Amino acid sequence: MKRRTFITLLAVGPVAACGRPAHATIRGLTMGTSYTVELAAPIDDAVRTRLTQLIEVELAAINRAMSTYDARSELSEFNRRQDLGWVPASRGLLEVLDRASQISTASQGAFDVTVGPLVDLWGFGPEIRTRRVPDDAVIERVRQSVGYQHVQADLSAGAIRKRDSRIQVDVCAIAKGYGVDRVAMVLDRQGVHDYLVEIGGELRARGTTAAGKPWRVGIERPVEGRHVVGEIVALENRGIATSGTTEDFFEQDGRHYSHIIDPKTARPVERPPIAASVIADTTMEADAWATGMVVLGPERGYSLAQARGLAVMFVTASGSTFDVRVTDAFRAHLLG
Ligand code: AMP
Ligand code: MG
């Protein structure tokens, strides 16, 4: 849903030394970024055409439901709504808002899809505007229209509602992960069982590579403007997502202001550059938690992740070196 310069994130697909990793690759553009599907087995032209078509249809439906860059999307329409009553919603939007609300509660409000007005205020929204630190009074005013408790999804009734008309939902921190899960489901339904799906650095793997090995993913970090692979993880039927404060930011008076907003302070997370990677059963969960973990930071986030058994890795830059902190559940995925 958002185009951004792509700095710290994942090396897509299997990293070096995997031998011949994939027999077929399908690529395309979606959500303001690119997607890649790596298949372990070769496919003929007819199968490629069919799979590509099914994937594109699925991704287009997700964009129509939840892009905030499309004023006609279902979510944009919901955001404009002043009425506080229940309104029927598509399955995708329901699932995303329901899971978002659970992760908001579990992350003590660090992950919050209602940060939309703050994202816009700080200049990271769909509208192109000059990025500068807003006035305190304006920040105070805008924060009044943020609060995840003000959006509800009722899966059984198939409806959503807002409890405050000022609420603006921004699903950028979870939608790519959801898209990956949906593309994986398309492949499952077509009987494809060995694949790696990636959208804008969020990713999911199933089965094995052509060599019969688990898919391996290198997690990159920026070193002097280049991308260098740091840790390598093996993924079996899991999703992984990474969020970072060096992905999209501006600087003013020597301070760093990132696109990830702490809903508690209504300001970009204050800390040196930091990235968090999360491995979970679904990429949607990994995506949301990765954003939440950046907000919580390597101390509070680490304790929470350990307590919940979440697989999280924090990378913080200190001078020219990196501090890496992994939870027990994450360590189990590390290679080497
Ligand atoms: P991600 O790249 O998945 O970490 O998502 C970051 C994007 O999510 C930002 O560009 C904002 O649009 C939005 N966002 C910023 N802060 C938060 C937050 N605390 N919770 C949820 N979404 C956020
Ligand atoms: Mg995210």
XYZ file of all heavy atoms in Angstrom, residues 37-85:
386
model
N 7.096 -14.787 -6.148
C 6.712 -16.139 -5.757
C 7.765 -17.080 -6.324
O 8.003 -17.099 -7.533
C 5.308 -16.500 -6.320
C 4.968 -17.947 -6.004
C 4.250 -15.548 -5.764
N 8.426 -17.806 -5.462
C 9.429 -18.788 -5.887
C 8.819 -20.173 -5.736
O 8.300 -20.505 -4.666
C 10.672 -18.719 -4.988
C 11.295 -17.359 -4.861
C 12.459 -17.157 -5.815
O 12.539 -17.881 -6.842
O 13.272 -16.278 -5.528
N 8.905 -20.967 -6.802
C 8.361 -22.324 -6.743
C 9.496 -23.328 -6.868
O 10.412 -23.149 -7.690
C 7.351 -22.535 -7.875
C 6.194 -21.520 -7.920
C 5.342 -21.738 -9.162
C 5.347 -21.625 -6.655
N 9.431 -24.387 -6.079
C 10.515 -25.374 -6.101
C 10.468 -26.233 -7.361
O 11.491 -26.702 -7.840
C 10.433 -26.250 -4.853
N 9.269 -26.434 -7.895
C 9.127 -27.315 -9.061
C 8.913 -26.494 -10.329
O 8.332 -25.409 -10.273
C 7.943 -28.245 -8.840
N 9.387 -27.006 -11.467
C 9.161 -26.272 -12.719
C 7.672 -26.245 -13.087
O 6.932 -27.143 -12.694
C 9.963 -27.075 -13.754
C 10.238 -28.397 -13.137
C 10.095 -28.269 -11.652
N 7.259 -25.211 -13.826
C 5.876 -25.148 -14.290
C 5.870 -24.825 -15.783
O 6.787 -24.172 -16.279
C 5.050 -24.054 -13.553
C 5.830 -22.730 -13.449
C 4.630 -24.508 -12.168
C 5.024 -21.571 -12.895
N 4.849 -25.297 -16.497
C 4.786 -24.962 -17.922
C 4.059 -23.626 -18.111
O 3.532 -23.066 -17.155
C 4.149 -26.109 -18.737
C 2.710 -26.371 -18.322
O 2.049 -25.419 -17.849
O 2.243 -27.509 -18.467
N 4.048 -23.135 -19.335
C 3.498 -21.797 -19.592
C 2.033 -21.668 -19.191
O 1.615 -20.642 -18.667
C 3.645 -21.443 -21.075
C 5.089 -21.068 -21.400
O 5.877 -20.942 -20.425
O 5.420 -20.935 -22.590
N 1.279 -22.731 -19.432
C -0.154 -22.664 -19.123
C -0.354 -22.522 -17.612
O -1.170 -21.716 -17.149
C -0.857 -23.926 -19.634
N 0.403 -23.287 -16.852
C 0.278 -23.216 -15.387
C 0.741 -21.849 -14.897
O 0.106 -21.218 -14.048
C 1.091 -24.347 -14.706
C 1.103 -24.170 -13.186
C 0.523 -25.703 -15.084
N 1.831 -21.351 -15.482
C 2.332 -20.025 -15.084
C 1.268 -18.956 -15.322
O 1.006 -18.121 -14.481
C 3.602 -19.693 -15.888
C 4.048 -18.227 -15.732
C 5.250 -17.920 -16.595
N 6.420 -18.618 -16.102
C 7.192 -18.171 -15.105
N 6.922 -17.019 -14.534
N 8.218 -18.856 -14.686
N 0.636 -19.015 -16.483
C -0.389 -18.027 -16.813
C -1.551 -18.117 -15.830
O -2.033 -17.105 -15.320
C -0.894 -18.241 -18.258
O 0.241 -18.199 -19.110
C -1.894 -17.189 -18.675
N -1.966 -19.355 -15.547
C -3.108 -19.510 -14.635
C -2.764 -19.015 -13.231
O -3.507 -18.247 -12.624
C -3.559 -20.975 -14.584
C -4.929 -21.108 -13.948
C -5.425 -22.533 -13.840
N -4.702 -23.288 -12.835
C -4.022 -24.406 -13.076
N -3.964 -24.911 -14.290
N -3.399 -25.025 -12.093
N -1.591 -19.431 -12.712
C -1.204 -19.013 -11.361
C -1.078 -17.492 -11.282
O -1.556 -16.865 -10.340
C 0.127 -19.666 -10.948
C 0.079 -21.161 -10.609
C 1.486 -21.656 -10.232
C -0.898 -21.457 -9.473
N -0.429 -16.901 -12.290
C -0.230 -15.449 -12.280
C -1.571 -14.732 -12.242
O -1.769 -13.789 -11.477
C 0.574 -15.007 -13.519
O 1.786 -15.777 -13.560
C 0.932 -13.529 -13.467
N -2.498 -15.242 -13.048
C -3.823 -14.622 -13.096
C -4.536 -14.695 -11.739
O -5.065 -13.701 -11.244
C -4.671 -15.369 -14.117
C -5.428 -14.487 -15.053
C -5.891 -15.301 -16.243
O -6.299 -16.467 -16.083
N -5.840 -14.724 -17.423
N -4.490 -15.885 -11.129
C -5.163 -16.064 -9.829
C -4.532 -15.183 -8.763
O -5.221 -14.589 -7.936
C -5.097 -17.539 -9.404
C -5.931 -18.499 -10.261
C -5.606 -19.955 -9.922
C -7.427 -18.234 -10.066
N -3.207 -15.079 -8.781
C -2.493 -14.249 -7.800
C -2.876 -12.783 -7.992
O -3.194 -12.070 -7.044
C -0.962 -14.448 -7.937
C -0.565 -15.850 -7.470
C -0.185 -13.368 -7.172
C 0.857 -16.262 -7.845
N -2.873 -12.337 -9.249
C -3.182 -10.926 -9.533
C -4.616 -10.581 -9.128
O -4.873 -9.496 -8.601
C -2.972 -10.619 -11.020
C -1.505 -10.735 -11.480
C -0.690 -9.464 -11.215
O -1.309 -8.390 -11.079
O 0.554 -9.564 -11.148
N -5.535 -11.500 -9.366
C -6.932 -11.258 -9.000
C -7.043 -11.118 -7.481
O -7.710 -10.218 -6.955
C -7.841 -12.401 -9.534
C -9.205 -12.370 -8.861
C -7.982 -12.303 -11.045
N -6.372 -12.011 -6.766
C -6.409 -11.978 -5.294
C -5.835 -10.662 -4.767
O -6.425 -10.008 -3.906
C -5.590 -13.173 -4.767
C -5.713 -13.399 -3.282
C -7.110 -13.841 -2.849
O -7.764 -14.592 -3.584
O -7.532 -13.401 -1.763
N -4.683 -10.252 -5.308
C -4.033 -9.028 -4.823
C -4.855 -7.782 -5.171
O -4.956 -6.855 -4.369
C -2.614 -8.920 -5.387
C -1.636 -9.973 -4.833
C -0.315 -9.925 -5.606
C -1.393 -9.758 -3.335
N -5.470 -7.810 -6.353
C -6.289 -6.658 -6.741
C -7.480 -6.527 -5.797
O -7.867 -5.419 -5.402
C -6.761 -6.818 -8.188
N -8.048 -7.663 -5.390
C -9.198 -7.627 -4.472
C -8.772 -7.051 -3.118
O -9.511 -6.279 -2.505
C -9.772 -9.034 -4.296
N -7.579 -7.402 -2.670
C -7.099 -6.870 -1.383
C -6.923 -5.357 -1.489
O -7.330 -4.606 -0.605
C -5.780 -7.562 -0.957
C -6.035 -9.056 -0.722
C -5.195 -6.894 0.288
C -4.793 -9.876 -0.457
N -6.337 -4.901 -2.573
C -6.167 -3.459 -2.763
C -7.499 -2.726 -2.811
O -7.628 -1.654 -2.223
C -5.376 -3.177 -4.044
C -3.901 -3.025 -3.739
O -3.492 -2.074 -3.083
N -3.114 -3.988 -4.180
N -8.471 -3.317 -3.494
C -9.793 -2.677 -3.566
C -10.443 -2.608 -2.196
O -11.214 -1.717 -1.899
C -10.712 -3.431 -4.529
C -10.601 -2.958 -5.969
C -11.824 -3.401 -6.770
N -12.110 -4.820 -6.602
C -11.493 -5.806 -7.254
N -10.558 -5.525 -8.146
N -11.815 -7.061 -7.044
N -10.133 -3.586 -1.358
C -10.737 -3.595 -0.022
C -10.026 -2.634 0.915
O -10.658 -1.914 1.660
C -10.709 -5.010 0.559
N -8.681 -2.600 0.901
C -8.030 -1.901 2.006
C -6.937 -0.905 1.688
O -6.254 -0.446 2.600
C -7.575 -2.901 3.063
C -6.766 -4.058 2.573
S -6.665 -5.344 3.860
C -7.909 -6.509 3.357
N -6.787 -0.527 0.427
C -5.768 0.482 0.146
C -6.242 1.871 0.591
O -7.341 2.300 0.256
C -5.473 0.521 -1.356
O -4.606 1.606 -1.611
N -5.374 2.562 1.327
C -5.717 3.944 1.683
C -5.180 4.893 0.612
O -5.335 6.108 0.697
C -5.156 4.328 3.071
O -3.877 3.730 3.224
C -6.058 3.843 4.188
N -4.536 4.321 -0.405
C -4.037 5.121 -1.529
C -5.082 5.192 -2.637
O -4.886 5.854 -3.637
C -2.719 4.533 -2.059
C -1.592 4.813 -1.094
C -1.518 4.189 0.140
C -0.619 5.758 -1.420
C -0.510 4.481 1.035
C 0.388 6.054 -0.532
C 0.435 5.411 0.695
O 1.428 5.717 1.581
N -6.182 4.446 -2.449
C -7.264 4.437 -3.421
C -8.509 4.988 -2.729
O -9.086 4.348 -1.840
C -7.492 2.997 -3.903
C -8.703 2.876 -4.814
O -9.357 3.903 -5.101
O -9.005 1.740 -5.234
N -8.917 6.174 -3.129
C -10.043 6.847 -2.456
C -11.337 6.061 -2.611
O -12.293 6.267 -1.866
C -10.209 8.254 -3.014
N -11.383 5.122 -3.596
C -12.616 4.364 -3.803
C -12.612 3.014 -3.086
O -13.539 2.228 -3.209
C -12.827 4.134 -5.297
C -13.151 5.416 -6.093
C -12.804 5.200 -7.544
N -11.446 4.637 -7.633
C -10.895 4.107 -8.698
N -11.560 4.023 -9.799
N -9.654 3.640 -8.667
N -11.517 2.718 -2.375
C -11.468 1.409 -1.709
C -12.516 1.341 -0.596
O -12.988 2.370 -0.103
C -10.077 1.148 -1.121
O -9.880 1.921 0.045
N -12.830 0.109 -0.223
C -13.800 -0.108 0.852
C -13.337 0.590 2.145
O -14.134 1.221 2.841
C -13.924 -1.617 1.078
C -14.986 -2.004 2.061
C -14.965 -3.518 2.350
O -14.164 -4.263 1.725
O -15.740 -3.932 3.223
N -12.047 0.503 2.435
C -11.536 1.116 3.665
C -11.592 2.641 3.590
O -11.946 3.300 4.569
C -10.096 0.639 3.949
C -9.469 1.183 5.232
C -10.303 0.842 6.465
C -8.047 0.641 5.406
N -11.268 3.219 2.425
C -11.352 4.680 2.290
C -12.787 5.143 2.523
O -13.035 6.164 3.166
C -10.871 5.126 0.913
O -9.505 4.848 0.757
N -13.716 4.350 2.011
C -15.123 4.697 2.198
C -15.494 4.613 3.679
O -16.158 5.498 4.223
C -15.985 3.729 1.378
C -17.368 4.240 1.090
C -18.098 3.256 0.196
O -17.537 2.878 -0.868
O -19.202 2.842 0.575
N -15.018 3.575 4.351
C -15.269 3.420 5.793
C -14.658 4.601 6.562
O -15.264 5.132 7.482
C -14.680 2.095 6.272
C -14.831 1.855 7.752
C -16.088 1.630 8.311
C -13.723 1.837 8.588
C -16.235 1.405 9.686
C -13.862 1.616 9.955
C -15.118 1.398 10.504
N -13.465 5.020 6.149
C -12.814 6.141 6.824
C -13.600 7.441 6.682
O -13.611 8.270 7.582
C -11.381 6.321 6.298
C -10.415 5.328 6.919
O -10.684 4.766 7.984
N -9.290 5.092 6.256
N -14.262 7.605 5.546
C -15.043 8.843 5.328
C -16.372 8.831 6.088
O -16.986 9.855 6.317
C -15.336 9.023 3.829
C -14.159 9.569 3.034
C -14.600 10.009 1.645
N -15.155 8.916 0.871
C -14.441 8.120 0.067
N -13.137 8.306 -0.071
N -15.016 7.141 -0.597
N -16.821 7.639 6.463
C -18.127 7.453 7.093
C -18.248 8.227 8.402
O -17.348 8.202 9.230
C -18.266 5.964 7.396
C -19.560 5.353 7.102
C -19.419 3.861 7.374
N -20.402 3.464 8.365
C -21.650 3.171 8.077
N -22.059 3.207 6.832
N -22.485 2.823 9.019
N -19.366 8.871 8.587
C -19.611 9.596 9.839
C -20.522 8.796 10.756
O -20.513 8.967 11.970
C -20.248 10.966 9.533
C -19.327 11.915 8.769
C -18.075 12.275 9.575
O -18.171 12.680 10.716
N -16.898 12.084 8.983
N -21.303 7.903 10.138
C -22.263 7.071 10.857
C -21.526 6.060 11.754
O -20.558 5.452 11.337
C -23.067 6.317 9.781
C -24.268 5.620 10.356
O -24.144 5.015 11.433
O -25.341 5.682 9.712
N -22.018 5.889 12.994
C -21.344 4.975 13.921
C -21.979 3.577 13.957
O -21.559 2.732 14.741
C -21.323 5.581 15.335
C -20.631 6.948 15.461
C -20.611 7.415 16.917
C -19.216 6.906 14.907
N -22.916 3.336 13.072
C -23.581 2.023 13.061
C -22.732 0.957 12.374
O -21.747 1.250 11.698
